[in-house]
């Protein structure tokens, strides 16, 4: 009795989860289908598989210069942002990892304030203008460089390293700086990699700061190029490519949009399944109260 | 540097119980001199990028003009707040914000919990991991792309209209229809967020002592009974903490999503405080007013969170609260 009931429940459970799986993946799948279809998926709607696979719209998208400018800028931003952020976080976290560091409690509290209160949009915007960072890459990588959350997680990692390592290095005459760069940082690669991933994804996907702090075409980030194409349907350089595409009809703007979407999320889709567990690990670490 | 050193020499200056005497304190300063110097840039950074903007909130009480600067602009007291409370546009965005975020909470808060409860019952590890991985995916994609995808799905040529068409329903411009727009916002935001929000519940479910379940099985409790009498009660503290946290965001209706998905036809139902602040502040350059509206939002959020935290403490005790 219990067994059959349990079996029915199991079937039900797997059915629900399959539906969940389909619902989460279907939106992405539609873009794959539309971008690859050589028939008319882009015009007529409901298709689970492309009728005839063609890479024409991908070939054309390669001619779309703004996309590659965006790609380049975003890669630069992400690398610079991750580098600065990790360095600053580690430099902040290491002293705080010493429980008997004078003022430790006060500095930590001082940094925690930002969890509760912040300046909001306008004061931050004006600050960037006053500092002369407007329309430079610094406006995108400096604010938010040190996140208290990341500092605390790295601090906890440093604390978990055995003290004996440091003590023996000290006996050998090494100072704190040497210990930090030669011993602590190399041993902390797991947490550094994890945080670099978080920060990196954040920079890759960030768009609002780029929207308000930059305005030159050659400084445009990938997300803003996408925004111009996907959201605003802005016919600039995009329309040139689109005309080329339509010469080979029946391709449409929708197909090119789907192609651009695919090109921009492809790097993420490729690395994501392998890196996903690091993100989740981080959340678990952060979830520990106190 | 020297000032803090002097302060630290005075015993009990920070109200903390002293563990060591002044001498050991001085010793700690000497020992950690290098590390304290290392902290200086970080502290300066926090002052400039976190505290200066907080201080900058004062422009909510100024007739701020960029030419006169922060210190030269005249004070206007509460004029901006009065202006907001007299402006019907402000009430509209306030209403939209509260409605959208209450809908999101009512429908969106339980789903990650239910999802975690159900998925943790799945025995096939591979299938479980696949569903989990897929459910987190949207979290790593920006709302520009998600917005684009969802708009395409709900567009005239999209699959939603195609499926409705099979049942003889005329195609609708969902994204430009005020009666559907909010539902679409809420639905898509839940779709994009439920997987990621479920992580914390998964962690809590995994952390439950398996002996409890074993003992209940011996007593003849089925799966559903165990879920109701063991898993859910043990999840309550986490649920409570997440609820308290979400209260602070009650006036965050999801700027990234709405800013990328709305259009002039649906402004009446989709314009929220954050988009209003953006428009007033950065488009119309009414800095003082926009800051005042933004400040109003943060203060309400803070009050709600503190209230919820207090209530949670009274009902459930310390395990149920943020701090």
């Amino acid at each position: 009795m219990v067994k059959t009931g349990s079996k029915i429940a199991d079937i039900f459970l797997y059915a629900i989860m399959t539906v969940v799986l389909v619902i989460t993946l279907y939106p992405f799948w539609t873009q794959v289908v539309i971008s690859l279809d050589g028939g008319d998926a882009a015009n007529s709607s409901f298709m689970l598989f492309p009728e005839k696979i063609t890479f024409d719209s991908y070939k054309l998208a390669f001619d779309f210069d703004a996309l590659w400018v965006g790609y380049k800028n975003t890669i630069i931003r992400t690398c610079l942002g991750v580098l600065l952020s990790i360095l600053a976080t580690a430099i902040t976290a290491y002293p705080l990892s010493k429980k008997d560091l004078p003022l430790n409690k006060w500095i930590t509290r001082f940094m925690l304030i930002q969890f509760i209160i912040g300046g909001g949009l306008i004061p931050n915007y004006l600050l960037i203008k006053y500092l002369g960072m407007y329309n430079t890459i610094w406006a995108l990588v400096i604010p938010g460089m040190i996140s208290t959350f990341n500092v605390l997680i790295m601090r906890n990692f440093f604390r978990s390293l055995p003290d004996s390592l440091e003590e023996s290095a000290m006996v050998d005459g090494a100072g704190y700086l040497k210990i930090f760069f030669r011993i602590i940082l190399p041993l902390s690669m797991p947490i550094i990699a994890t945080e670099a991933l978080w920060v990196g994804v954040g920079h890759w996907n960030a768009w609002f700061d780029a929207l308000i702090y930059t305005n030159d075409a050659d400084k445009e980030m990938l997300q803003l190029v996408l925004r111009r194409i996907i959201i605003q349907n802005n016919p600039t350089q995009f329309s040139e490519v689109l005309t080329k595409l339509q010469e080979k009809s029946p391709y449409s703007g929708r197909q090119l949009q789907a192609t651009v979407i695919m090109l921009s999320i492809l790097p993420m889709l490729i690395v994501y399944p392998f890196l996903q567990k690091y993100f989740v690990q981080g959340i678990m670490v952060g979830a520990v109260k106190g | 540097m020297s000032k803090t050193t002097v302060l630290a020499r005075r015993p009990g200056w920070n109200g903390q119980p002293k563990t060591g005497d002044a001498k050991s304190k001085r010793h700690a300063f000497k020992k950690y001199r290098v590390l304290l110097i290392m902290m200086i840039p970080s502290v300066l950074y926090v002052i400039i990028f976190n505290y200066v903007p907080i201080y900058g909130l004062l422009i909510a009480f100024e007739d701020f003009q960029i030419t006169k600067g922060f210190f030269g602009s005249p004070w206007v007291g509460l004029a901006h707040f009065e202006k907001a409370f007299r402006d019907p546009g402000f009430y509209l965005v306030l209403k939209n914000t509260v409605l959208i975020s209450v809908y999101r909470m009512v429908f969106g808060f339980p789903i990650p919990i239910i999802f975690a409860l159900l998925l943790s019952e799945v025995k096939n590890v591979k299938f479980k991991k696949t569903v989990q991985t897929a459910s987190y995916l949207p979290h790593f994609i920006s709302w520009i792309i998600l917005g684009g995808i969802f708009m395409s799905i709900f567009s005239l040529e999209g699959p939603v209209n195609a499926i409705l068409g099979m049942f003889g329903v005329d195609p609708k411009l969902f994204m430009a229809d005020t009666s559907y727009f909010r539902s679409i916002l809420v639905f898509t935001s839940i779709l994009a967020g439920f997987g990621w929000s479920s992580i914390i519940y998964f962690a809590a479910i995994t952390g439950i002592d398996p002996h409890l379940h074993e003992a209940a099985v011996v007593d003849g409790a089925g799966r559903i009974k165990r879920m109701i009498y063991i898993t859910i009660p043990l999840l309550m503290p986490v649920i409570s903490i997440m609820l308290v946290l979400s209260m602070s965001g009650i006036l965050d209706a999801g700027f990234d999503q709405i800013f990328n998905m709305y259009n002039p036809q649906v402004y009446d139902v989709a314009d929220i405080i954050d988009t209003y602040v953006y428009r007033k502040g950065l488009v119309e350059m009414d800095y003082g007013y926009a800051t005042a509206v933004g400040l109003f939002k943060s203060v309400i959020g803070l009050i709600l969170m503190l209230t919820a935290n207090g209530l949670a403490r009274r009902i459930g005790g310390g395990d149920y609260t943020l701090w």
Side-chain angles (χ1 to χ4, degrees):
Chain A
M1 185 61 212
V2 176
K3 268 203 166 159
T4 42
S6 171
K7 227 171 211 165
I8 292 169
D10 259 341
I11 293 169
F12 200 58
L13 197 63
Y14 279 83
I16 293 178
M17 286 305 144
T18 310
V19 171
V20 170
L21 190 64
V22 170
I23 289 180
T24 30
L25 293 182
Y26 177 69
F28 297 101
W29 183 244
T30 55
Q31 303 303 305
V32 178
V33 174
I34 295 175
S35 70
L36 286 178
D37 188 69
D40 55 358
N43 301 318
S44 85
S45 64
F46 190 59
M47 237 182 196
L48 284 180
F49 299 99
E51 256 175 24
K52 183 178 96 203
I53 292 181
T54 146
F55 289 92
D56 283 356
S57 78
Y58 283 88
K59 280 181 208 145
L60 279 169
F62 278 98
D63 290 343
F64 184 36
D65 297 334
L67 190 67
W68 305 113
V69 173
Y71 243 111
K72 188 193 84 193
N73 287 336
T74 300
I75 290 172
I76 294 174
R77 171 194 178 156
T78 304
C79 294
L80 185 65
V82 167
L83 205 72
L84 284 176
S85 202
I86 292 300
L87 198 64
T89 306
I91 286 176
T92 317
Y94 182 55
L96 292 177
S97 72
K98 307 279 169 236
K99 280 186 177 146
D100 54 343
L101 181 89
L103 307 173
N104 190 330
K105 229 177 199 159
W106 289 95
I107 296 172
T108 309
R109 274 181 203 166
F110 171 78
M111 293 187 64
L112 278 170
I113 291 285
Q114 62 156 349
F115 269 137
I116 302 170
I117 182 170
L121 179 63
I122 308 296
N124 279 304
Y125 174 79
L126 294 173
L127 175 70
I128 296 298
K129 282 217 145 170
Y130 277 124
L131 292 176
M133 289 177 170
Y134 185 80
N135 211 11
T136 68
I137 196 166
W138 307 113
L140 311 179
V141 293
I142 302 277
M145 184 174 75
I146 301 181
S147 127
T148 307
F149 183 78
N150 290 355
V151 168
L152 293 183
I153 286 180
M154 204 178 279
R155 180 199 72 175
N156 292 349
F157 188 91
F158 290 159
R159 277 186 186 168
S160 73
L161 296 172
D163 290 336
S164 52
L165 285 169
E166 253 189 56
E167 282 157 13
S168 58
M170 245 166 202
V171 172
D172 293 343
Y176 280 114
L177 277 182
K178 202 167 186 181
I179 292 173
F180 175 64
F181 284 107
R182 292 281 170 80
I183 298 174
I184 302 294
L185 280 189
L187 283 176
S188 304
M189 276 308 151
I191 194 70
I192 289 177
T194 308
E195 291 198 1
L197 270 176
W198 298 343
V199 177
V201 171
H203 277 296
W204 188 268
N205 284 330
W207 56 275
F208 186 65
D209 52 357
L211 178 76
I212 62 177
Y213 295 139
T214 57
N215 58 13
D216 291 352
D218 63 331
K219 287 179 186 144
E220 203 174 22
M221 293 290 150
L222 179 61
Q223 296 293 336
L224 289 187
V225 179
L226 295 173
R227 189 176 143 76
R228 215 149 38 81
I229 301 171
I230 304 166
I231 308 287
Q232 296 167 316
N233 262 316
N234 201 340
T236 43
Q237 200 192 359
F238 183 57
S239 64
E240 264 173 52
V241 185
L242 188 58
T243 325
K244 269 194 221 164
L245 186 67
Q246 275 159 344
E247 281 165 13
K248 301 187 178 184
S249 73
Y251 308 121
S252 65
R254 212 159 160 251
Q255 179 163 27
L256 200 51
Q257 286 184 350
T259 308
V260 178
I261 287 178
M262 286 317 297
L263 283 175
S264 71
I265 60 177
L266 225 53
M268 184 69 84
L269 291 183
I270 291 168
V271 297
Y272 167 73
F274 305 102
L275 300 179
Q276 183 247 118
K277 67 169 188 225
Y278 295 101
F279 290 101
V280 179
Q281 263 171 16
I283 292 294
M284 306 296 189
V285 178
V288 179
K289 200 175 152 183
Chain B
M1 205 52 221
S2 64
K3 198 176 174 193
T4 42
T5 321
V6 172
L7 275 175
R9 275 184 198 142
R10 222 181 302 147
W13 66 279
N14 58 5
Q16 294 289 310
K18 292 292 106 193
T19 43
D21 53 313
K23 208 173 169 187
S24 75
K25 206 107 224 188
R26 210 175 320 160
H27 178 70
F29 264 96
K30 215 171 158 189
K31 179 178 162 200
Y32 288 127
R33 200 177 47 220
V34 179
L35 293 186
L36 285 167
I37 293 169
M38 202 164 147
M39 280 302 295
I40 293 173
S42 309
V43 170
L44 283 177
Y45 174 90
V46 173
I47 290 173
I48 295 171
F49 288 96
N50 295 335
Y51 282 80
V52 169
I54 294 173
Y55 188 61
L57 281 171
L58 284 177
I59 65 177
F61 308 96
E62 276 184 352
D63 177 22
F64 181 80
Q65 280 144 22
I66 207 145
T67 46
K68 289 185 187 161
F70 178 75
F71 296 100
S73 299
W75 290 98
V76 291
L78 295 173
H80 291 309
F81 294 91
E82 281 164 23
K83 184 180 156 196
F85 292 125
R86 277 198 314 268
D87 178 6
F90 173 72
Y91 286 103
L92 183 71
V93 297
L94 186 60
K95 187 186 116 189
N96 287 336
T97 309
V98 172
L99 274 180
I100 293 171
S101 87
V102 167
Y103 288 154
R104 271 166 43 136
M105 225 163 123
V106 170
F107 297 107
F109 189 78
I111 286 179
I113 304 172
I114 297 167
F115 175 65
L117 283 172
L118 289 181
L119 193 59
S120 61
E121 289 293 318
V122 170
K123 297 284 176 299
N124 184 329
V125 178
K126 235 180 186 168
F127 182 68
K128 193 167 159 179
K129 283 269 176 279
T130 311
V131 176
Q132 243 177 320
T133 306
S135 74
Y136 305 154
L137 177 63
H139 180 81
F140 296 98
I141 310 286
S142 78
W143 264 110
I144 289 179
I145 290 166
L146 291 179
I149 295 177
F150 289 134
M151 286 198 289
S152 128
I153 287 178
F154 286 99
S155 71
L156 274 183
E157 305 91 25
V160 173
N161 268 319
I163 294 171
L164 288 176
M166 289 175 196
F167 297 97
V169 182
D170 285 334
K172 287 193 181 73
L173 267 169
F174 287 107
M175 299 307 289
D177 194 323
T178 48
S179 49
Y180 294 108
F181 192 78
R182 274 205 284 251
S183 314
I184 292 176
L185 279 184
V186 173
F187 174 74
T188 54
S189 86
I190 294 172
L191 184 58
F194 79 94
W196 191 250
S197 321
S198 72
I199 292 179
I200 185 125
Y201 302 113
F202 268 119
I205 292 172
T206 320
I208 291 174
D209 186 353
H211 290 114
L212 289 171
H213 280 285
E214 283 159 20
V217 170
V218 171
D219 290 346
R223 266 198 215 170
I224 296 178
K225 277 220 161 120
R226 275 184 283 134
M227 202 185 270
I228 295 172
Y229 293 109
I230 298 176
T231 315
I232 294 180
L234 287 171
L235 276 185
M236 279 325 271
V238 183
I239 293 175
S240 163
I241 289 172
M242 295 313 283
L243 201 60
V244 170
L245 260 181
S246 70
M247 289 311 287
S248 72
I250 201 105
L251 293 185
D252 285 320
F255 177 82
D256 279 24
Q257 180 193 14
I258 293 174
F259 192 71
N260 285 311
M261 283 175 79
Y262 76 167
N263 55 66
Q265 282 102 310
V266 292
Y267 277 175
D268 281 352
V269 294
D271 202 10
I272 54 165
I273 293 183
D274 288 331
T275 49
Y276 184 74
V277 169
Y278 170 78
R279 218 172 37 246
K280 288 287 168 192
L282 298 188
V283 181
E284 295 170 22
M285 307 218 192
D286 196 348
Y287 294 120
Y289 180 65
T291 310
V293 174
L295 180 60
F296 168 80
K297 186 197 125 177
S298 339
V299 170
I300 299 288
L302 190 60
I303 292 173
L304 283 174
M305 189 175 76
L306 292 175
T307 314
N309 200 54
L311 277 177
R313 183 180 304 274
R314 193 160 300 169
I315 297 166
D319 283 350
Y320 289 69
T321 56
L322 268 178
W323 58 84

